[in-house]
Amino acid sequence: MRRGWCAGVLVAAGAATLLAGCDGRATAPPSRDATPSAVSEAVDVPPAACPQPPPPAASPAPSTPPGLTPDPLAEPPAAGAPSPPARGEALLEAAARRVAAAAAVRRALPAFDQLVASAVARSGVPGSAVAVIAGDTVMYERCSGVREVGRSDSVGPHTLFPLGAVSRAYTTALLAVLVGEGELRWDQPVRTVWLGFRLRDRWASSETTFRDLTAGRSGLPAQAGMELRRFGYGRAEILRRLRHLDPVAGFRTESASQDALVTAAAVAAARATGVSWERMVRERLLAPLGDRDTVVTRGGLLRSRDRVAPHRCEAGSMLAGRPPDESVFAPSLGVAASLRGVETFARLILNDGAVGGVRVAPDGAMAQTLTPAAAVASDGPTLLASSPGWTLSSFDDRLIATAEGGLESGTGAVVTLVPDDGVAVIVLANASPHGVWLGRALARTLIDLAVVGIPREDWVSREQAAAAPGERSRGLTLPPLPPAAAPPPRPRGACLGTYADRYYGEVRVGRAPGGGLAIRLGRGETLHYMPWSADVWREAVSGTAAVFDVRAGRARGVTLTLLSFDGRRGFFARVD
């Protein structure tokens, strides 16, 4: 009893330390009430210019603060060692660790603010919003730049940013609320509430749980179902077609990023409760938090007057666009939030379901979203694992949980948690991929500053260089011209007709101007191909091929290399 009382006193003392002198919220040099324009004046960023490869920036050399407390990933005690501390002692140690971490973060903030200003300027993003949280306290905020190039509207703490794949973490937090209140179980087979759910493997179909879907450990290839949007299919049709896709890994053996399967988990939760995902997020997650900014539909985003435009760099300039329609996979991609909204959400996760004394989920329920579920295949030296909605790794000998997204939408959102220390770094930006590597760099910078007092590397340059190769091309690509000795193209008449694949559905091949072929994908996009050599045709935009299997003057099938990648065959057999 005495130990529990001591732990409670230390937690209270730590909270008092965090709040002392900052009225509950420490910010960058402008106060919390400073206008967004006043904040943005701290960074002089030409909003329309794309960043060039930056020279390494000299890091400030503040006095080295004491590091954070011992490594949360340390080896467990050896056999025969003393038993783990009692619960009271564990609470005491956890509280002490968070207090020490908060003190180290506070000492790091002056240097961090200088580096944020420099990093944002080097990134070239038109607008950004950055925050640092320790425990249940927002210790730092900085909003800078404009919502859209060519306009003067400034980014503020309530400006909405599309979050992309960070939306998965919102969906898994909702599931944690439902689990905590006894309406679902993480390890409950999905087919107990949704009989129509199926994968290719019969056993996997019957055994797949909510944890499997949200941690990406189904065995399906990465981003299964995403390419079906090009065929014009809706959510229900895409989820139905997953049963025709072959797995590329063993069930529950490793994790792969999946937006369709997180969406399937949301659909199953809606079937179990009789309430839509959108309504549950608003009523069961956002409303108890007092979050009036966050929206979960595209209509809600477009109705907002305080929202960023997505930007992409083309020909050396940042060009603004409109937010894409992510309605099909809204539970994975469709949430848009302000800096204040994401701050509240991060506090919810860090504090296991409670924010400012308001408990949204029962004690212990939210911690399951940060529990490792499967290993993630990685090309780098860092070991990765997945949990429901998050990617887990280590940095500076600390457990790190990351949610990031927005690459496709022209925005970048990165939420980085150090769960054992109770620290979070949030970076939102309205450019892609610049916002993502900016967010990664600033998280590593803050942790370095808090641990050793100075960044160990120029993280902006490193993360920008890592992002430079861009997205891996999909499928076989062809050069614009065939080899000199290649046979000439054959007449296109043999290729015309209708072809089908169980996973993708139908494609229809027709004539296009200039002697080309127009290939319609289901009821969606139409791709245009020009003759290349023999029975091979080339698509000008992607450089990918359409290879026809012609026998006796008539094509029996066609392989679209644009759709042949990561376990997808992309072969369509003639059906007419």
Side-chain angles (χ1 to χ4, degrees):
M1 187 70 178
R2 179 73 176 175
R3 288 172 176 164
W5 176 83
C6 289
V9 170
L10 187 51
V11 171
T17 301
L18 299 182
L19 296 173
C22 65
D23 296 328
R25 182 186 298 268
T27 65
S31 69
R32 177 180 177 179
D33 297 326
T35 63
S37 58
V39 175
S40 65
E41 289 174 0
V43 183
D44 184 14
V45 183
C50 297
Q52 300 299 317
S59 301
S63 59
T64 301
L68 300 186
T69 50
D71 175 12
L73 300 180
E75 291 294 326
S83 61
R87 177 171 173 79
E89 291 176 344
L91 291 173
L92 191 68
E93 290 176 4
R97 176 169 187 152
R98 288 197 166 204
V99 170
V105 167
R106 177 180 291 280
R107 286 189 293 270
L109 287 180
F112 181 69
D113 183 56
Q114 297 175 37
L115 289 171
V116 169
S118 171
V120 170
R122 293 166 65 194
S123 74
V125 298
S128 63
V130 181
V132 175
I133 295 168
D136 203 17
T137 302
V138 179
M139 302 187 74
Y140 175 90
E141 274 186 350
R142 184 185 186 96
C143 298
S144 59
V146 295
R147 304 199 298 252
E148 182 177 347
V149 292
R151 302 176 67 92
S152 60
D153 299 322
S154 299
V155 171
H158 295 285
T159 300
L160 290 179
F161 288 78
L163 299 184
V166 177
S167 306
R168 301 175 196 165
Y170 281 74
T171 292
T172 57
L174 170 65
L175 293 178
V177 172
L178 299 177
V179 169
E181 296 180 0
E183 298 179 60
L184 293 175
R185 302 188 315 277
W186 283 112
D187 297 315
Q188 174 182 355
V190 172
R191 292 193 69 177
T192 61
V193 296
W194 180 13
L195 290 176
F197 175 80
R198 279 183 56 192
L199 298 176
R200 184 66 177 267
D201 183 84
R202 181 176 299 179
W203 184 80
S205 297
S206 63
E207 295 297 318
T208 296
T209 66
F210 286 92
R211 193 187 306 273
D212 295 325
L213 292 179
T214 54
R217 59 183 195 180
S218 68
L220 292 182
Q223 295 299 355
M226 292 293 285
E227 63 278 8
L228 295 181
R229 296 190 298 180
R230 307 185 75 155
F231 285 71
Y233 302 141
R235 179 185 300 176
E237 181 65 11
I238 290 176
L239 297 182
R240 188 190 70 80
R241 287 183 176 274
L242 292 179
R243 68 191 62 185
H244 300 304
L245 183 59
D246 289 327
V248 295
F251 183 55
R252 293 179 182 160
T253 60
E254 64 181 55
S255 176
S257 179
Q258 301 284 0
D259 289 316
L261 294 186
V262 173
T263 299
V267 171
R271 287 175 175 268
T273 61
V275 181
S276 69
W277 168 82
E278 293 83 358
R279 181 177 172 185
M280 283 193 290
V281 171
R282 285 192 292 260
E283 296 181 356
R284 307 287 290 274
L285 190 63
L286 302 178
L289 295 174
D291 182 354
R292 298 182 179 180
D293 290 346
T294 301
V295 297
V296 296
T297 63
R298 187 168 189 263
L301 176 61
L302 296 180
R303 285 192 295 271
S304 173
R305 296 183 178 181
D306 189 2
R307 59 177 171 88
V308 298
H311 296 79
R312 299 191 69 85
C313 185
E314 296 184 15
S317 297
M318 285 289 182
L319 300 181
R322 283 177 60 82
D325 187 354
E326 302 291 3
S327 301
V328 171
F329 296 135
S332 294
L333 300 169
V335 176
S338 67
L339 183 64
R340 292 282 168 85
V342 182
E343 289 169 357
T344 303
F345 178 72
R347 290 163 61 200
L348 175 78
I349 304 300
L350 285 174
N351 294 288
D352 196 19
V355 174
V358 176
R359 180 153 289 284
V360 177
D363 187 30
M366 207 63 68
Q368 287 292 310
T369 65
L370 302 180
T371 300
V376 177
S378 173
D379 295 330
T382 302
L383 296 177
L384 302 176
S386 69
S387 67
W390 299 83
T391 298
L392 307 180
S393 61
S394 64
F395 179 74
D396 274 341
D397 293 328
R398 276 155 177 78
L399 174 67
I400 304 295
T402 305
E404 57 183 50
L407 289 174
E408 295 296 328
S409 65
T411 58
V414 180
V415 181
T416 304
L417 309 180
V418 190
D420 294 319
D421 294 325
V423 173
V425 181
I426 300 163
V427 179
L428 310 176
N430 58 350
S432 171
H434 312 73
V436 171
W437 57 255
L438 175 65
R440 294 170 179 169
L442 290 181
R444 286 159 173 73
T445 297
L446 187 278
I447 297 171
D448 269 358
L449 286 170
V451 173
V452 297
I454 191 168
R456 305 183 198 200
E457 295 192 43
D458 176 10
W459 291 110
V460 172
S461 293
R462 175 165 172 171
E463 291 297 335
Q464 184 180 15
E471 184 179 356
R472 182 179 59 181
S473 62
R474 290 183 171 179
L476 171 71
T477 58
L478 302 172
L481 297 176
R490 296 181 184 177
R492 61 183 175 178
C495 303
L496 305 180
T498 302
Y499 305 78
D501 169 73
R502 294 187 71 188
Y503 173 61
Y504 284 116
E506 285 190 351
V507 298
R508 292 182 295 280
V509 181
R511 293 181 173 86
L517 293 177
I519 301 183
R520 177 79 182 275
L521 305 181
R523 47 183 178 268
E525 299 178 16
T526 298
L527 307 175
H528 292 89
Y529 291 79
M530 296 302 294
W532 195 75
S533 173
D535 300 317
V536 179
W537 298 69
R538 182 180 184 274
E539 204 269 323
V541 176
S542 65
T544 56
V547 182
F548 289 87
D549 177 16
V550 179
R551 304 178 190 179
R554 179 177 170 83
R556 305 293 182 87
V558 59
T559 297
L560 301 182
T561 65
L562 180 67
L563 303 175
S564 303
F565 65 98
D566 291 349
R568 290 87 158 172
R569 293 180 58 209
F571 175 77
F572 299 79
R574 183 182 285 275
V575 294
D576 61 358

